[in-house]
Amino acid sequence: MLEATMGFVEVILLVTGVLFIAKSIFLYVKRTKDWSGVAVMVFKRVGMDAHEYRWYRFGVSCFVVGVIVRIVNMIFWPL
């Protein structure tokens, strides 16, 4: 039961993280009309406003927690 729940939580966190990061990217592009900034966003800071950066930070946090849950799943319930 716990294994299935952890698997569900893992998927939800990973998908939520990716969706929040995508939302922040689309908000940035909508505001600046600069698609090249999306590629730069991964490597260095771009001029994101507070609202866009909040979505980006929350998405990265969800994604990292999802990866940690994945590692815990693989440690306690290996395939």
Side-chain angles (χ1 to χ4, degrees):
M1 178 70 179
L2 184 60
E3 179 183 2
T5 304
M6 291 289 282
F8 180 72
V9 168
E10 168 195 336
V11 170
I12 293 299
L13 285 170
L14 291 173
V15 169
T16 303
V18 169
L19 289 176
F20 285 162
I21 291 171
K23 180 176 173 100
S24 72
I25 289 171
F26 287 125
L27 286 172
Y28 171 77
V29 169
K30 182 179 174 183
R31 182 178 57 88
T32 62
K33 308 287 190 269
D34 179 24
W35 281 98
S36 65
V38 174
V40 176
M41 189 181 295
V42 177
F43 300 110
K44 62 180 181 178
R45 298 281 180 217
V46 294
M48 297 175 81
D49 65 1
H51 184 67
E52 296 160 355
Y53 187 67
R54 187 176 304 126
W55 282 106
Y56 184 76
R57 185 177 56 212
F58 190 62
V60 170
S61 300
C62 284
F63 193 80
V64 168
V65 172
V67 169
I68 291 170
V69 170
R70 173 70 177 162
I71 291 169
V72 169
N73 278 341
M74 293 181 76
I75 289 172
F76 288 115
W77 298 285
L79 296 176

